[in-house]
Amino acid sequence: MTQTTDATAAAEESRPTRPSPHRIHRAWFVAAVTFVTIIGAAAFRSLPGLLIDPLHDEFHWSRGTISAAVSINLALYGLTAPFAAALMDRLGIRRVVAVALTVIALGSGLTVWMTAAWQLLLCWGLLVGLGSGSMALAFAATVTNRWFTERKGLVTGILTAASASGQLIFLPLLSWIVTEHDWRPAAVTVALAALAVVPFVWLLLRDHPADVGQKPYGAKEFVPKPEPVPGAARRAVTVLFSAVRTGPFWLLAGTFAICGASTNGLIQTHFVPAAHDHGMPITAAASLLAVIGVFDVVGTIASGWFTDRFEPRRLLAVYYALRGISLLFLPMLLAPTVHPPMIFFIVFYGLDWVATVPPTLALCREQYGEDSAIVFGWVLASHQVGAALVAFLGGMARDTFGSYDVVWYASGALCAAAALMALVIRRRRPVVAVPAVA
């Protein structure tokens, strides 16, 4: 009798439910939890640019050495993402994200006891890089693909903007802590922020709409939860080997590498020390980066809306061309005080910061279908490799030339190349089924 009752209860739990037309679909709550999670994890991304000068002053490490840790962090952030997307299919979103946040907190917290450069490479480069790469955009892509069949561009833009929102929240706070209380309390703040999000992930996030008996948002039919996929790492590599045989993959990877080089690698890592070189206080420069975060939210959500309605290739070309032009003007705008032309640059760059993500993800879906989340993970890897390269080269350029000017100009030229690359991505032709011959 008990077994029959248990079986009936299990069947009732897995049976699809019909939400009231007046109720908000559960997918939006999952998206909200994802948004808050990425905000918490984004705290660590606000810190590296603030640490270059304090670590240089305290330990006398070269800016190239400090930038190397940031470079490792950014590279691992990208290279881990494809395997994270596959692991989420195998182990579930909640487990992967909860462990990733814990690793981020561990890596950031341990930096307060470091005394040698290799420890910075280990803690901030390896641990924080692995933890952050296990979520972020791969996390957002997986949630979007599982929970939404409509409004994917809009949701992608909102979740991508979460990282900028975290930057908006934490940059002014962390810059004040670094200025008033040294860099160690700022590292502890990042660790605590990552840990604080773990309970929300574990208690509120669900892996699939079928877990709560609902259809994905916009779906006409109930979608059963797929069985766990074995061989997550093998699948990620197999999808990569398949994708590299296609031209669009290399164009998407190349444009996104330039995107990473001109955002995370360049502005996020080196804008604060570059502005400080021109006499601007660290808190003022960090506040400008926070303003970029404000307009990044607006620009990315708007880009998601545009992606649902316009050709993503043309959107990418416009975004990269405008970004390249703005970088060419930046060396003339840096000054001890904040003036209107600099404000215009910050607003403009913020609107364009990661506006490239929704159209890039849309092109991945168009070209690679069910494998698009893993393919996007590899494209994201190229984004972070580009960011890592410029983060390191930017520090080396500052040590060698005494300024960052050559890096701004080179990045502007790269953005022009990315605009041309986006325009030559071919549309995928629909496959026409051929009837079998009797």
Side-chain angles (χ1 to χ4, degrees):
M1 182 66 179
T2 303
Q3 292 180 350
T4 303
T5 303
D6 292 343
T8 303
E12 290 292 334
E13 184 178 353
S14 62
R15 184 177 300 168
T17 60
R18 293 184 178 181
S20 168
H22 301 290
R23 291 177 57 189
I24 299 175
H25 195 284
R26 180 64 178 266
W28 294 108
F29 290 103
V30 173
V33 174
T34 304
F35 186 89
V36 173
T37 303
I38 296 175
I39 284 178
F44 82 93
R45 297 182 62 192
S46 305
L47 194 55
L50 304 178
L51 294 184
I52 291 178
D53 285 338
L55 293 179
H56 174 72
D57 294 338
E58 178 173 338
F59 297 107
H60 305 290
W61 299 334
S62 71
R63 290 177 176 82
T65 298
I66 300 168
S67 298
V70 180
S71 180
I72 293 172
N73 179 299
L74 293 171
L76 287 176
Y77 178 98
L79 294 173
T80 307
F83 299 98
L87 279 175
M88 288 177 188
D89 287 342
R90 179 71 178 90
L91 303 177
I93 298 174
R94 285 197 302 172
R95 293 178 182 176
V96 173
V97 174
V99 171
L101 287 167
T102 304
V103 172
I104 289 172
L106 180 65
S108 180
L110 288 176
T111 58
V112 301
W113 291 289
M114 66 182 179
T115 56
W118 68 267
Q119 295 166 345
L120 177 66
L121 300 178
L122 174 64
C123 294
W124 204 262
L126 180 63
L127 292 179
V128 177
L130 287 175
S132 59
S134 298
M135 41 177 299
L137 291 179
F139 176 32
T142 303
V143 168
T144 303
N145 287 342
R146 289 188 182 185
W147 281 89
F148 293 85
T149 58
E150 293 181 354
R151 309 289 185 181
K152 284 188 174 182
L154 177 62
V155 175
T156 300
I158 292 172
L159 295 182
T160 303
S163 182
S165 299
Q167 177 174 292
L168 164 65
I169 294 169
F170 287 103
L171 257 177
L173 173 63
L174 293 176
S175 65
W176 177 82
I177 292 174
V178 169
T179 302
E180 299 294 329
H181 302 286
D182 196 23
W183 62 270
R184 289 178 177 83
V188 173
T189 301
V190 169
L192 294 177
L195 281 179
V197 183
V198 174
F200 292 95
V201 171
W202 196 255
L203 296 175
L204 301 178
L205 194 62
R206 292 295 179 268
D207 291 334
H208 196 277
D211 291 339
V212 291
Q214 289 193 3
K215 300 179 292 185
Y217 179 83
K220 297 180 179 179
E221 297 180 355
F222 181 77
V223 179
K225 185 176 181 178
E227 293 295 325
V229 181
R234 188 185 312 114
R235 183 184 175 206
V237 175
T238 300
V239 170
L240 173 64
F241 285 163
S242 176
V244 295
R245 299 190 185 100
T246 64
F249 174 82
W250 292 105
L251 291 170
L252 288 168
T255 55
F256 224 41
I258 294 172
C259 178
S262 55
T263 53
N264 302 67
L266 183 63
I267 298 294
Q268 188 163 2
T269 304
H270 294 293
F271 177 81
V272 171
H276 191 54
D277 283 347
H278 286 75
M280 185 179 294
I282 290 178
T283 51
S287 297
L288 289 177
L289 269 186
V291 174
I292 284 181
V294 176
F295 288 94
D296 183 16
V297 175
V298 178
T300 308
I301 294 175
S303 179
W305 188 86
F306 289 142
T307 302
D308 287 333
R309 290 161 176 80
F310 299 104
E311 170 57 49
R313 294 160 186 79
R314 295 180 181 178
L315 287 177
L316 283 179
V318 171
Y319 295 157
Y320 285 122
L322 293 177
R323 183 183 299 179
I325 293 172
S326 66
L327 283 173
L328 296 178
F329 284 96
L330 181 57
M332 296 178 283
L333 302 179
L334 292 170
T337 58
V338 179
H339 47 82
M342 174 59 78
I343 294 294
F344 179 80
F345 170 85
I346 292 297
V347 172
F348 183 85
Y349 213 81
L351 292 172
D352 195 33
W353 183 265
V354 285
T356 55
V357 172
T360 300
L361 185 51
L363 290 172
C364 285
R365 292 195 193 103
E366 174 189 310
Q367 297 287 336
Y368 303 104
E370 294 182 355
D371 292 330
S372 62
I374 297 178
V375 172
F376 181 71
W378 286 112
V379 172
L380 174 61
S382 71
H383 180 281
Q384 296 307 116
V385 169
L389 185 62
V390 170
F392 175 68
L393 292 178
M396 293 293 293
R398 173 61 178 80
D399 289 334
T400 303
F401 302 108
S403 76
Y404 288 98
D405 287 359
V406 66
V407 186
W408 307 130
Y409 295 135
S411 297
L414 285 174
C415 288
L420 295 177
M421 292 167 65
L423 290 175
V424 300
I425 299 175
R426 294 180 300 175
R427 285 181 176 271
R428 183 176 182 181
R429 297 179 181 179
V431 178
V432 180
V434 179
V437 179

